[in-house]
Amino acid sequence: QLQFVESGGGLVQPGGSLRLSCRASGFTLDYYYVGWFRQAPGKEREGVSCISRNPGTSYYLDSVKGRFTISRDNAKNTVYLQMNSLKPEDTAVYYCAVLKGGTIHWWNQDVYDYWGQGTQVTVSS
């Protein structure tokens, strides 16, 4: 139960785009808060975005507002993170996290219940 995996990472040039996917198995993902976190080498893990249970409300790290968009596809039981205008400082391993309850502290990794394995995003010339 509560199994999910991330995918969609890769290598892109600055200004390029990627779409990350968090696909769930054994449960309906839209019943839960879903967050995206990232961790760069030598840095602490930070919250990038979160979407609440339906009807969803989206939250974003200030540095990605206007560039990243989080969304749900209920038919595919998947949450996406569309990343546009990527910058070298976006380079990190990106993790999908699931919260069974609710929170006003979406950026706090300690409130989440389940984590994916991570997918690498590299932005470089």
Side-chain angles (χ1 to χ4, degrees):
Q1 62 179 358
L2 297 177
Q3 296 180 342
F4 55 92
V5 296
E6 307 99 325
S7 62
L11 173 65
V12 297
Q13 294 184 331
S17 297
L18 286 172
R19 187 178 70 168
L20 306 184
S21 299
C22 179
R23 187 171 184 177
S25 299
F27 67 103
T28 302
L29 197 58
D30 58 295
Y31 291 167
Y32 303 88
Y33 279 57
V34 179
W36 285 98
F37 287 74
R38 67 187 182 187
Q39 187 167 24
K43 302 291 186 179
E44 297 294 325
R45 186 183 294 171
E46 65 178 351
V48 177
S49 184
C50 178
I51 187 166
S52 67
R53 69 186 81 252
N54 288 334
T57 300
S58 300
Y59 309 90
Y60 297 96
L61 179 68
D62 285 345
S63 63
V64 309
K65 288 180 179 177
R67 299 189 297 121
F68 292 10
T69 303
I70 191 168
S71 63
R72 297 180 185 270
D73 185 332
N74 292 336
K76 296 182 178 179
N77 204 25
T78 300
V79 169
Y80 299 101
L81 184 67
Q82 178 68 45
M83 305 186 296
N84 298 326
S85 301
L86 283 162
K87 305 174 181 179
E89 51 263 44
D90 295 317
T91 296
V93 177
Y94 283 70
Y95 298 90
C96 178
V98 173
L99 172 63
K100 293 189 293 185
T103 184
I104 61 172
H105 305 297
W106 68 268
W107 59 90
N108 183 359
Q109 63 182 331
D110 293 334
V111 307
Y112 288 82
D113 298 295
Y114 307 102
W115 292 83
Q117 84 286 353
T119 185
Q120 177 71 49
V121 171
T122 302
V123 185
S124 176
S125 299

Short mmCIF file of all heavy atoms in Angstrom, two decimals, residues 29-34 50-59 70-72 74:
data_model
loop_
_atom_site.label_atom_id
_atom_site.label_comp_id
_atom_site.label_asym_id
_atom_site.label_seq_id
_atom_site.Cartn_x
_atom_site.Cartn_y
_atom_site.Cartn_z
N LEU A 29 -4.27 8.92 -5.16
CA LEU A 29 -3.35 9.97 -4.75
C LEU A 29 -4.05 11.29 -4.47
O LEU A 29 -3.58 12.08 -3.65
CB LEU A 29 -2.28 10.15 -5.83
CG LEU A 29 -1.01 10.91 -5.46
CD1 LEU A 29 -0.32 10.25 -4.29
CD2 LEU A 29 -0.08 11.00 -6.66
N ASP A 30 -5.17 11.54 -5.13
CA ASP A 30 -5.85 12.82 -4.95
C ASP A 30 -6.52 12.96 -3.59
O ASP A 30 -7.03 14.04 -3.28
CB ASP A 30 -6.85 13.07 -6.08
CG ASP A 30 -7.90 11.98 -6.19
OD1 ASP A 30 -7.53 10.83 -6.50
OD2 ASP A 30 -9.09 12.28 -5.99
N TYR A 31 -6.53 11.91 -2.78
CA TYR A 31 -7.05 12.01 -1.41
C TYR A 31 -6.03 12.63 -0.45
O TYR A 31 -6.36 12.89 0.71
CB TYR A 31 -7.43 10.63 -0.87
CG TYR A 31 -8.63 9.98 -1.52
CD1 TYR A 31 -8.90 8.64 -1.30
CD2 TYR A 31 -9.49 10.69 -2.34
CE1 TYR A 31 -9.99 8.02 -1.88
CE2 TYR A 31 -10.59 10.08 -2.93
CZ TYR A 31 -10.83 8.75 -2.69
OH TYR A 31 -11.93 8.15 -3.27
N TYR A 32 -4.82 12.88 -0.91
CA TYR A 32 -3.72 13.28 -0.04
C TYR A 32 -3.07 14.57 -0.53
O TYR A 32 -3.15 14.93 -1.69
CB TYR A 32 -2.66 12.17 0.01
CG TYR A 32 -3.17 10.83 0.46
CD1 TYR A 32 -3.70 9.93 -0.44
CD2 TYR A 32 -3.13 10.48 1.81
CE1 TYR A 32 -4.18 8.70 -0.02
CE2 TYR A 32 -3.60 9.26 2.24
CZ TYR A 32 -4.13 8.37 1.32
OH TYR A 32 -4.60 7.15 1.75
N TYR A 33 -2.41 15.25 0.40
CA TYR A 33 -1.49 16.30 0.03
C TYR A 33 -0.26 15.64 -0.61
O TYR A 33 0.23 14.62 -0.13
CB TYR A 33 -1.01 17.08 1.26
CG TYR A 33 -1.95 18.14 1.77
CD1 TYR A 33 -3.24 17.84 2.15
CD2 TYR A 33 -1.50 19.45 1.92
CE1 TYR A 33 -4.09 18.81 2.65
CE2 TYR A 33 -2.35 20.43 2.43
CZ TYR A 33 -3.63 20.10 2.78
OH TYR A 33 -4.46 21.08 3.28
N VAL A 34 0.23 16.23 -1.69
CA VAL A 34 1.43 15.74 -2.36
C VAL A 34 2.42 16.88 -2.50
O VAL A 34 2.08 17.94 -3.04
CB VAL A 34 1.11 15.14 -3.74
CG1 VAL A 34 2.39 14.66 -4.42
CG2 VAL A 34 0.12 13.99 -3.60
N CYS A 50 3.63 22.04 -3.41
CA CYS A 50 2.68 21.12 -2.78
C CYS A 50 1.30 21.39 -3.35
O CYS A 50 0.97 22.54 -3.67
CB CYS A 50 2.68 21.31 -1.26
SG CYS A 50 1.51 20.26 -0.36
N ILE A 51 0.50 20.33 -3.46
CA ILE A 51 -0.90 20.46 -3.84
C ILE A 51 -1.75 19.74 -2.80
O ILE A 51 -1.44 18.61 -2.42
CB ILE A 51 -1.15 19.94 -5.27
CG1 ILE A 51 -2.58 20.26 -5.72
CG2 ILE A 51 -0.85 18.45 -5.39
CD1 ILE A 51 -2.79 20.07 -7.22
N SER A 52 -2.80 20.40 -2.35
CA SER A 52 -3.66 19.83 -1.32
C SER A 52 -4.63 18.82 -1.92
O SER A 52 -4.73 18.67 -3.14
CB SER A 52 -4.42 20.94 -0.59
OG SER A 52 -5.35 21.56 -1.45
N ARG A 53 -5.38 18.13 -1.04
CA ARG A 53 -6.41 17.21 -1.53
C ARG A 53 -7.47 17.98 -2.29
O ARG A 53 -7.63 19.19 -2.10
CB ARG A 53 -7.02 16.44 -0.36
CG ARG A 53 -7.87 17.30 0.56
CD ARG A 53 -8.34 16.54 1.79
NE ARG A 53 -7.29 16.49 2.80
CZ ARG A 53 -6.59 15.42 3.10
NH1 ARG A 53 -6.82 14.26 2.48
NH2 ARG A 53 -5.67 15.48 4.05
N ASN A 54 -8.20 17.27 -3.16
CA ASN A 54 -9.21 17.92 -3.98
C ASN A 54 -10.29 18.58 -3.14
O ASN A 54 -10.76 17.97 -2.16
CB ASN A 54 -9.84 16.91 -4.93
CG ASN A 54 -8.92 16.50 -6.04
OD1 ASN A 54 -8.03 17.24 -6.42
ND2 ASN A 54 -9.15 15.31 -6.58
N PRO A 55 -10.75 19.77 -3.49
CA PRO A 55 -10.21 20.62 -4.56
C PRO A 55 -8.85 21.18 -4.17
O PRO A 55 -8.69 21.69 -3.05
CB PRO A 55 -11.26 21.72 -4.71
CG PRO A 55 -11.87 21.84 -3.36
CD PRO A 55 -11.88 20.43 -2.80
N GLY A 56 -7.88 21.09 -5.04
CA GLY A 56 -6.51 21.37 -4.70
C GLY A 56 -6.16 22.84 -4.65
O GLY A 56 -6.65 23.65 -5.42
N THR A 57 -5.28 23.15 -3.70
CA THR A 57 -4.64 24.44 -3.61
C THR A 57 -3.15 24.23 -3.77
O THR A 57 -2.58 23.31 -3.19
CB THR A 57 -4.93 25.11 -2.27
OG1 THR A 57 -6.34 25.29 -2.11
CG2 THR A 57 -4.24 26.47 -2.18
N SER A 58 -2.50 25.08 -4.57
CA SER A 58 -1.09 24.92 -4.87
C SER A 58 -0.24 25.88 -4.07
O SER A 58 -0.63 27.03 -3.84
CB SER A 58 -0.84 25.14 -6.37
OG SER A 58 -1.57 24.22 -7.15
N TYR A 59 0.94 25.41 -3.68
CA TYR A 59 1.91 26.20 -2.93
C TYR A 59 3.26 26.05 -3.59
O TYR A 59 3.58 25.00 -4.15
CB TYR A 59 1.99 25.72 -1.48
CG TYR A 59 0.66 25.60 -0.78
CD1 TYR A 59 -0.06 24.41 -0.81
CD2 TYR A 59 0.12 26.68 -0.09
CE1 TYR A 59 -1.28 24.30 -0.18
CE2 TYR A 59 -1.11 26.57 0.55
CZ TYR A 59 -1.80 25.37 0.50
OH TYR A 59 -3.00 25.27 1.14
N ILE A 70 2.36 22.73 -10.39
CA ILE A 70 1.99 21.41 -9.89
C ILE A 70 0.55 21.12 -10.30
O ILE A 70 -0.30 22.02 -10.31
CB ILE A 70 2.18 21.31 -8.37
CG1 ILE A 70 2.07 19.86 -7.89
CG2 ILE A 70 1.21 22.21 -7.61
CD1 ILE A 70 2.52 19.66 -6.45
N SER A 71 0.25 19.86 -10.66
CA SER A 71 -1.08 19.51 -11.13
C SER A 71 -1.36 18.03 -10.88
O SER A 71 -0.44 17.26 -10.59
CB SER A 71 -1.25 19.83 -12.61
OG SER A 71 -0.36 19.07 -13.40
N ARG A 72 -2.64 17.65 -11.00
CA ARG A 72 -3.06 16.26 -10.84
C ARG A 72 -3.69 15.74 -12.12
O ARG A 72 -4.36 16.48 -12.84
CB ARG A 72 -4.09 16.12 -9.72
CG ARG A 72 -3.64 16.48 -8.32
CD ARG A 72 -4.80 16.29 -7.34
NE ARG A 72 -4.47 16.73 -6.00
CZ ARG A 72 -3.94 15.97 -5.07
NH1 ARG A 72 -3.64 14.69 -5.33
NH2 ARG A 72 -3.69 16.46 -3.86
N ASN A 74 -6.14 12.63 -12.38
CA ASN A 74 -6.79 11.58 -11.60
C ASN A 74 -6.89 10.26 -12.38
O ASN A 74 -6.80 9.18 -11.79
CB ASN A 74 -8.18 12.02 -11.16
CG ASN A 74 -8.14 13.14 -10.15
OD1 ASN A 74 -7.15 13.31 -9.43
ND2 ASN A 74 -9.22 13.91 -10.07
#
